[in-house]
Amino acid sequence: MTDAHANEECELMILSESPFDTPQPHKALQDPEGLSAMGGDLSTPRLIHLYQHGFFPWYSEPDPILWWHPEHRCVLLPNHFHLSKSLKKALKKSDMQFSINQAFHQVISHCSDLRARNEGTWISDDIKQAYSRLHTLGFAHSIEVWQEEQLVGGFYGVAMGQVFFGESMFSLQPNASKMALKVFCDKANEFNIALIDCQVESEHLVSLGANLCPRDQFISQLQNLIPTPITNPKLINFSKNTLKHPIYV
């Protein structure tokens, strides 16, 4: 199937001071693939607006903020999570527990440190502050995995409507981030989460059940699942429980 907009001229939009500037996804550059806009800021209104329309920031300081909307989006339907034999075995032996929103700042800091060691971090202080503001307002969330009282894995992202936009994950113990994603998928129906956006394809994500979704289809899904940019009340209510919970196979 070909993209109906494939012949449109590519255009890199320079964002103005208005937080409601909206690039046209089908005019995203082919090289680098998916780059749609640059500039603007990480203000809460802009982040909420652009996430609702499928854009995400990804850049390294001191470069300007870059906004992306790939032609093919890596997504995970929660009921398509793949539980491998090795992960199932690890879960049976594990005494790890999970929580939600009990250590948001620790999770984003661990993700930043991991990226810095492996590839040069894009999770800058500005990113941390921006997503911390989203967290305070109920849009950004963390899923944590604990071994006794030690945080050993997890991920964070933005929840809006019935979509969770995953940003970054980390593991300090084998399989910890996989366990975090597994338990989140298990509880997705309870949280009214119908789609997890994984942004960019990787072998790791594909092994967990993610696949590529054409841009047109992804945009259509967002329109249906996020008719208005609202928080996820079920996820927020669950996180008010400060207890740590077992992770079942």
Side-chain angles (χ1 to χ4, degrees):
M1 183 180 295
T2 59
D3 189 335
H5 303 269
N7 293 323
E8 287 190 11
E9 183 180 354
C10 295
E11 177 182 83
L12 180 64
M13 183 176 183
I14 308 300
L15 299 183
S16 72
E17 293 182 0
S18 170
F20 302 109
D21 278 355
T22 311
Q24 297 185 47
H26 299 99
K27 289 192 174 184
L29 302 185
Q30 294 297 317
D31 185 19
E33 198 279 313
L35 180 59
S36 298
M38 64 184 296
D41 54 31
L42 297 173
S43 69
T44 297
R46 190 188 301 274
L47 283 168
I48 291 173
H49 176 72
L50 290 180
Y51 266 103
Q52 183 189 9
H53 290 85
F55 298 91
F56 60 88
W58 185 25
Y59 68 104
S60 296
E61 293 182 333
D63 296 339
I65 302 172
L66 303 178
W67 302 90
W68 303 80
H69 203 304
E71 184 175 357
H72 291 89
R73 197 65 162 245
C74 186
V75 300
L76 174 61
L77 299 177
N79 61 352
H80 286 185
F81 179 86
H82 175 64
L83 179 62
S84 66
K85 291 181 179 179
S86 59
L87 181 56
K88 186 176 182 179
K89 183 177 180 181
L91 281 166
K92 286 182 176 180
K93 294 181 177 180
S94 172
D95 60 353
M96 292 186 188
Q97 298 176 301
F98 82 96
S99 62
I100 293 181
N101 289 337
Q102 302 309 307
F104 181 86
H105 302 292
Q106 289 175 261
V107 169
I108 196 170
S109 292
H110 278 302
C111 289
S112 175
D113 292 343
L114 179 65
R115 299 283 88 75
R117 289 196 300 270
N118 292 346
E119 59 210 41
T121 186
W122 54 269
I123 306 176
S124 63
D125 288 342
D126 286 345
I127 287 282
K128 292 178 186 178
Q129 292 170 11
Y131 285 83
S132 293
R133 292 192 293 269
L134 287 176
H135 175 64
T136 300
L137 293 173
F139 283 98
H141 304 271
S142 60
I143 291 78
E144 305 103 10
V145 170
W146 305 85
Q147 189 167 51
E148 296 180 349
E149 295 301 314
Q150 182 179 2
L151 179 66
V152 296
F155 61 91
Y156 77 95
V158 174
M160 197 181 301
Q162 293 179 262
V163 180
F164 186 89
F165 300 90
E167 280 297 314
S168 186
M169 55 185 7
F170 80 98
S171 285
L172 301 181
Q173 294 290 341
N175 297 307
S177 64
K178 293 180 182 179
M179 291 180 184
L181 184 57
K182 191 265 182 191
V183 76
F184 188 69
C185 288
D186 286 347
K187 301 191 76 63
N189 188 56
E190 177 182 338
F191 297 152
N192 198 28
I193 296 290
L195 182 71
I196 299 173
D197 172 32
C198 304
Q199 298 181 348
V200 180
E201 182 186 32
S202 70
E203 289 185 14
H204 175 68
L205 290 168
V206 170
S207 73
L208 296 174
N211 57 47
L212 289 178
C213 174
R215 181 187 283 141
D216 282 342
Q217 182 180 336
F218 181 69
I219 291 172
S220 178
Q221 289 177 318
L222 293 187
Q223 291 170 345
N224 290 330
L225 298 174
I226 316 176
T228 57
I230 59 175
T231 57
N232 184 310
K234 293 187 176 182
L235 189 53
I236 292 171
N237 286 336
F238 183 90
S239 67
K240 292 178 181 178
N241 183 344
T242 59
L243 297 176
K244 297 179 178 67
H245 307 271
I247 303 175
Y248 298 110
V249 176

